[in-house]
Amino acid sequence: MLGFAALAVLGGALVSLSRQINGSLSMYTSALHSSYWNHVVGFAFITAVGIAFGGLFTGDPWGAPWWAYLGGPIGFVFIAASSWAVLKIGAAQTAMLIIAGQMISGVAVDIALGTAGNTTTRIVGVAFILAGMLVARSGAKPKTNGT
């Protein structure tokens, strides 16, 4: 269990790092353009990993329901939106809002699916994340350079 928790934390750290790097790329291009290159490089990387280690074309992808492929467009929106947000509100604010969005949607899905767990503590956890975001945001001065 500890190993999976460590992997989840590592994944979260890599998501934050990825957003910052992609946000940096969008400073030189645009959020859409940086998202495009993010996917091109990601496609090349996953292809190389699949060729090196195998397992790229296993299973029955045509047997999956149509909505199982919506992760691609949703991922595109996530990458483009977060690349844009990093430039406008900074990496820390963007990361906190991403985490808040993940927590809110996670709690909503758990409630909708009737997943075991304490809904009240989950909602309180989301409230703490949002409160932390407001505390971190307090004292921040808005950008005045029109960006």
Side-chain angles (χ1 to χ4, degrees):
M1 180 67 176
L2 188 58
F4 291 119
L7 280 174
V9 170
L10 175 64
L14 291 175
V15 166
S16 178
L17 180 63
S18 171
R19 297 305 85 227
Q20 293 177 33
I21 291 171
N22 212 45
S24 297
L25 179 59
S26 68
M27 290 174 57
Y28 296 96
T29 58
S30 68
L32 184 63
H33 196 183
S34 68
S35 180
Y36 170 80
W37 282 110
N38 182 301
H39 284 86
V40 167
V41 173
F43 176 75
F45 180 75
I46 193 68
T47 301
V49 169
I51 290 171
F53 297 104
L56 186 60
F57 298 107
T58 61
D60 179 22
W62 302 114
W66 67 268
W67 51 263
Y69 294 92
L70 292 178
I74 291 171
F76 163 76
V77 171
F78 166 72
I79 290 171
S82 61
S83 295
W84 181 80
V86 164
L87 293 177
K88 300 297 180 184
I89 62 174
Q93 292 290 323
T94 301
M96 284 189 282
L97 289 168
I98 288 171
I99 292 168
Q102 290 173 338
M103 289 296 297
I104 290 168
S105 65
V107 168
V109 168
D110 279 350
I111 290 171
L113 297 177
T115 304
N118 188 328
T119 301
T120 302
T121 57
R122 291 175 178 161
I123 292 171
V124 169
V126 170
F128 277 128
I129 289 172
L130 294 174
M133 186 194 76
L134 290 174
V135 168
R137 180 79 179 146
S138 65
K141 295 179 180 176
K143 290 182 176 182
T144 58
N145 60 0
T147 56

